[in-house]
Amino acid sequence: NREGHTAWIKPFPISIDFNSSNGSSSEVKDTKESLLKKHNIQADYIGVGVDRLDYTKGIVERFRAVEHFLEKNQKYVGKFTFVELGAPSRTMIPKYKAFIDEVVQLSEKINERFKTKNWQPILLLMKHHSHAEITPFYKIADVCLVTSLHDGMNLVAKEFVSAKDNERGVLVLSQFTGASRELNDALIINPYDIGQTAEAIKIALEMPLPEQMTRMQRMRLTLQVNNIYRWASELVKELAQVRLENQKRGSNGSA
């Protein structure tokens, strides 16, 4: 309250169009094999990350977690590939360009350490991907890593859950995202803790299918209820309420 004026600060967690944003299974024909074959990679398990190449997204920490996971779980060497769909961001700014260089160099270092003839642990695909290009990776992924160091909401987490109409797969989600307040059935991690993230990858890949499906069903229900239309409706309703209260105050003051 200041000089007779009241200001409100309220949370309005943005969401997605759950029913139409990711397409149906019948529209997406790609398999793990077909998506990876284009890059001469074979893998039994797929992880996915979708981000702007920005230091706030925790991509370096994520790659180090993948490396640590493979160090501690040798049976997944040759079997688990993490696909990063990274969109270059603000490349004319020196610090951002240096960050992108760091991401590329780290992925190359980890790949050089572990790769075999037809496999590598990290597949870094750098370009601006369309929704149609991203969706197949969401659908075939066994785990999605959202490891933001600081974020407002992070709609990638919600898009991944929305795409999982077969209810299989696990979301590993940073505690520093707004989405972690809603998607309680994700594996919530501190992205600065490389060991914890690596352990979450292991838990995700070895989670029994019934538990995967139960968690995914609950998260999908949350998104069905709290979709983009409800978000817009709640925002407009609150704005209208603020206007009514201000008008009421004005009429009372003049009386």
Side-chain angles (χ1 to χ4, degrees), residues 42-46 66 69-81 114 119-121 198 201-207:
Q42 298 173 356
D44 296 330
Y45 305 95
I46 301 294
V66 170
F69 164 72
L70 293 172
E71 286 174 351
K72 297 295 183 182
N73 301 277
Q74 291 289 317
K75 68 179 181 179
Y76 287 101
V77 173
K79 295 184 177 181
F80 174 75
T81 291
F114 290 102
W119 174 81
Q120 65 189 53
I201 296 172
K202 181 176 187 294
I203 292 170
L205 296 181
E206 298 179 359
M207 184 179 291

Side-chain angles (χ1 to χ4, degrees), residues 16-62:
I16 60 173
D17 182 355
F18 180 84
N19 292 320
S20 64
S21 62
N22 288 291
S24 67
S25 293
S26 61
E27 295 170 331
V28 179
K29 303 295 186 183
D30 295 284
T31 63
K32 288 179 185 177
E33 292 75 18
S34 65
L35 284 172
L36 294 180
K37 187 177 181 180
K38 303 169 188 175
H39 306 282
N40 194 32
I41 296 174
Q42 298 173 356
D44 296 330
Y45 305 95
I46 301 294
V48 68
V50 181
D51 308 89
R52 284 183 301 104
L53 291 174
D54 185 300
Y55 64 92
T56 64
K57 299 299 182 180
I59 299 167
V60 167
E61 290 76 8
R62 186 182 310 169

Side-chain angles (χ1 to χ4, degrees), residues 32 58 60 85 94-95 101 140 142 166-167 172 198 206 213 217-218 222 228 232 236 239 244 249:
K32 288 179 185 177
V60 167
L85 305 175
K95 285 189 176 180
D101 290 343
I140 59 95
D142 299 285
N166 66 359
E167 298 175 343
V172 174
E206 298 179 359
M213 296 182 75
Q217 285 167 2
R218 288 196 292 244
T222 295
I228 190 71
V236 171
L239 287 171
L244 286 172
R249 275 196 183 83

